[in-house]
Amino acid sequence: MGDIRRRGAVALGVTALVAPLTLVLGAAPAQAASCTTQTGPYQKKVEKFLGRPADGKQSTADCKAIRAFQTKHGITPNIGYAGPVTWGVMNLMQKQKAVGKTPNKSGKCPVNKGRIACVDLTLQLSWVQDGKKLVYGPVPVRTGRNGHETRTGLKKVYWRNIDHHSTIYDVPMPYSQFFDGGQAFHSAGVSMWNPPGSHGCVNMTKTDAKKYWSLLKKGDDVFVYGRKPGT
């Protein structure tokens, strides 16, 4: 995260916590010299996900399709190899889709707090609910990577800055809503499935971050639970 301007006597206490990844992650990944001809360990599953003939054998067309997916989501190296990272992203997408409109089916996010923003780290999903009523979402989010995990527990939105900018990473963080030290909801200009994750903030698309800005206010509850894959 960046250092945060202090308001009044409140020290926001940013250490080396969170923010989107550095500028390089906002750029398109470098193009590989050529597609790989190697068949990956998740070849058949990846082919099926992409709507390709699921024969479990790498082809030129398979490689191009896999490579396009990798490029779109910032998966490197983007050489069209059906490896564990690529399949991990696809598998997460499938699990997210399966949730549908019942993200709190397990009841893990409190329903006795009124308006609350929930973050499921395991499924990389967030939503806003009011009691048992789903207000918005669920939407895919990008949380803290290994070593910079988004901290779990019940928190509150304590500071909001619509035009926040990280001075440590020199990147914009539009629609920032801070809820735990330097950890905040904010818009990020990368795919929500871009590995390995943020430095702890809950990254969102601009559309979703803007909607959260309109739905939440200072003092609203935030509940973070679960564990991000790979952390």
Side-chain angles (χ1 to χ4, degrees):
M1 191 33 302
D3 74 15
I4 307 170
R5 299 182 183 87
R6 287 166 170 73
R7 295 170 66 92
V10 180
L12 300 182
V14 178
T15 52
L17 297 179
V18 272
L21 292 181
T22 57
L23 283 172
V24 67
L25 288 183
Q31 293 298 305
S34 61
C35 257
T36 182
T37 58
Q38 290 186 318
T39 295
Y42 296 91
Q43 190 74 35
K44 198 167 185 177
K45 290 182 177 180
V46 168
E47 289 168 343
K48 186 177 180 180
F49 179 91
L50 294 173
R52 299 285 310 149
D55 59 7
K57 298 178 181 178
Q58 179 78 313
S59 68
T60 300
D62 287 337
C63 188
K64 287 181 178 179
I66 297 169
R67 187 178 176 190
F69 179 88
Q70 292 169 334
T71 301
K72 180 178 181 180
H73 298 295
I75 300 169
T76 56
N78 58 331
I79 57 173
Y81 182 71
V85 175
T86 298
W87 171 243
V89 170
M90 293 176 174
N91 191 35
L92 177 61
M93 287 180 170
Q94 290 179 331
K95 290 178 179 179
Q96 290 173 334
K97 184 177 181 180
V99 167
K101 289 296 182 179
T102 56
N104 199 34
K105 189 175 182 179
S106 67
K108 291 181 180 179
C109 193
V111 296
N112 62 346
K113 297 289 185 180
R115 177 78 42 107
I116 185 171
C118 310
V119 181
D120 181 341
L121 298 178
T122 305
L123 290 178
Q124 293 290 281
L125 289 174
S126 183
W127 63 94
V128 177
Q129 63 185 39
D130 196 336
K132 294 182 179 181
K133 179 184 177 182
L134 180 64
V135 176
Y136 184 75
V139 297
V141 293
R142 180 174 178 267
T143 67
R145 58 182 171 170
N146 191 36
H148 297 274
E149 291 85 352
T150 304
R151 294 181 289 276
T152 57
L154 182 64
K155 307 139 191 311
K156 286 184 181 293
V157 175
Y158 70 88
W159 189 60
R160 299 177 359 129
N161 185 348
I162 198 168
D163 293 316
H164 191 71
H165 192 95
S166 167
T167 56
I168 291 178
Y169 297 101
D170 192 24
V171 291
M173 295 170 53
Y175 303 102
S176 286
Q177 300 191 79
F178 294 89
F179 53 81
D180 186 353
Q183 299 189 346
F185 294 112
H186 70 82
S187 171
V190 294
S191 166
M192 291 304 101
W193 297 277
N194 175 262
S198 74
H199 277 82
C201 283
V202 179
N203 292 169
M204 313 183 85
T205 66
K206 182 178 180 180
T207 296
D208 294 333
K210 188 175 181 179
K211 187 66 175 181
Y212 267 47
W213 182 269
S214 72
L215 290 172
L216 302 177
K217 64 182 185 302
K218 184 177 177 181
D220 279 349
D221 289 304
V222 177
F223 187 69
V224 183
Y225 67 96
R227 184 173 182 175
K228 176 183 171 69
T231 64

